[in-house]
Amino acid sequence: MPEQSLTLDAVLTDEAVLSTYRRMFAALARDSGAVVDDPALVDIAETLFAAFAEAGEEWLTHEQMRFACRAYPGDQFDNRLRVLKGLGAIREVFPKPNQLRYRASFTSVVGLMFIRRMMDDGGQSEMHRLLALEDLNVADPRTTGDEARQSAVNLARAFRLWALELITLTTGTIEELREQAPKLWGTEEIARRAQGLHGTILTRWPELDRVCTDLRAAIYAYSDASRRAAGRLADSAGTTRNLTLLPTETWRTFAQTASRERLAAVLDGFVFDAPAPWHDPAAIARAVDEAPRPAPA
């Protein structure tokens, strides 16, 4: 792969990708080091899955997989392939000795697609899908009251956690708020659909009024927190309303936390020393004459 100069935008993008992966699999990770620390490792997995899809029933040998990932270093490819085999994402076509051809797991491919959607909009599309499925479930005549109760409890928990995260973003750093900005898109539509679901449950099962009250409170808390976070996000963008411009907090945080090597690589070519100011001597003399003096005792 051609060498590309490291930029601050690239560093922030990579960190945003990794933070999404960490949050996604935190509940399944055995320890804090279980998630990759290099986005290129995920790209290798996607490249392999694309190659398997194109190969069809011919499947792939080890040499063919390496050829498909020839743009990546050999040690990274070997490491990723070993992990994918160990977790079952890539398996032998037939479990027999000296197997030479491998196949990819459908579950792993769908999982990557799900992760990409989570990165694109922070889970908004998944929330829309969840609400659509729950609408169908509570409208189904075969749905029981216990199932409706569990649905309302799960949604209330999700909205409360979402509201708490948005509240934290409202009072946190601008960098984190901008990173999580996709979570603020389409919040009114999500709240509207959730309120419709709440109305359906309460109409069909009036005895679930207490559970529905908790759900309604969670929806309102989510709506209020999203409006406050969106307002702060708009204020941080300034008069240009351009969220692609890096705020000053980002530069300050990066300068305080980056290593000397990374700081030198990212800021190579930038000039921060402003030219020495030039003041007219007459203006300086006039400023001295007009400066206020303390009154004598």
Side-chain angles (χ1 to χ4, degrees):
M1 299 180 63
E3 288 291 333
Q4 297 180 354
S5 59
L6 186 63
T7 64
L8 182 57
D9 284 330
V11 173
L12 295 176
T13 300
D14 288 349
E15 182 56 34
V17 171
L18 295 177
S19 64
T20 300
Y21 294 153
R22 295 187 187 104
R23 287 192 295 268
M24 284 287 299
F25 296 104
L28 302 178
R30 183 175 58 186
D31 54 65
S32 59
V35 182
V36 297
D37 55 3
D38 187 353
L41 299 181
V42 183
D43 296 336
I44 293 176
E46 287 196 329
T47 302
L48 279 175
F49 292 149
F52 275 108
E54 294 178 0
E57 296 183 4
E58 296 296 327
W59 299 294
L60 294 177
T61 64
H62 184 279
E63 290 74 16
Q64 290 172 323
M65 287 188 288
R66 182 66 189 103
F67 180 78
C69 299
R70 59 190 179 278
Y72 302 95
D75 56 341
Q76 284 190 348
F77 167 77
D78 293 336
N79 172 270
R80 189 80 324 222
L81 184 60
R82 181 171 60 254
V83 172
L84 293 174
K85 286 182 178 179
L87 296 178
I90 294 179
R91 303 179 181 180
E92 297 87 353
V93 176
F94 301 106
K96 64 180 182 180
N98 303 321
Q99 176 60 242
L100 299 179
R101 294 192 172 272
Y102 297 87
R103 60 183 176 87
S105 168
F106 170 76
T107 304
S108 298
V109 176
V110 174
L112 269 181
M113 295 170 60
F114 172 73
I115 292 174
R116 289 302 184 187
R117 289 202 305 270
M118 292 289 293
M119 291 176 56
D120 290 338
D121 58 13
Q124 297 285 60
S125 59
E126 303 309 319
M127 198 63 182
H128 280 291
R129 288 178 172 84
L130 176 61
L131 290 173
L133 290 175
E134 294 297 342
D135 276 333
L136 295 175
N137 289 335
V138 298
D140 191 337
R142 296 170 296 180
T143 301
T144 64
D146 291 338
E147 293 173 342
R149 177 190 298 274
Q150 189 61 44
S151 176
V153 169
N154 291 337
L155 285 175
R157 182 185 300 117
F159 275 112
R160 287 191 182 281
L161 291 175
W162 204 347
L164 290 173
E165 185 170 357
L166 294 178
I167 291 173
T168 305
L169 293 176
T170 305
T171 58
T173 62
I174 294 296
E175 299 99 319
E176 187 177 7
L177 178 60
R178 290 195 178 192
E179 178 187 337
Q180 303 296 329
K183 294 182 178 179
L184 303 176
W185 312 152
T187 54
E188 293 183 359
E189 175 65 16
I190 289 180
R192 185 188 65 79
R193 299 189 66 170
Q195 290 170 358
L197 178 64
H198 159 270
T200 302
I201 296 176
L202 188 59
T203 301
R204 286 195 60 186
W205 297 277
E207 66 274 12
L208 299 181
D209 56 337
R210 183 180 296 274
V211 176
C212 288
T213 299
D214 293 340
L215 175 58
R216 185 169 60 254
I219 296 171
Y220 287 157
Y222 160 75
S223 299
D224 181 64
S226 63
R227 283 193 296 268
R228 291 166 55 190
R232 189 187 178 207
L233 184 64
D235 292 340
S236 72
T239 57
T240 63
R241 292 295 186 265
N242 188 354
L243 294 178
T244 63
L245 298 178
L246 296 178
T248 56
E249 291 84 353
T250 301
W251 290 96
R252 185 181 303 113
T253 301
F254 181 77
Q256 293 173 346
T257 59
S259 63
R260 288 183 298 176
E261 293 76 12
R262 173 166 283 190
L263 188 63
V266 171
L267 303 181
D268 186 24
F270 282 82
V271 178
F272 290 95
D273 294 331
W278 170 258
H279 298 288
D280 183 69
I284 296 179
R286 185 169 57 254
V288 172
D289 291 339
E290 296 176 355
R293 295 178 174 84

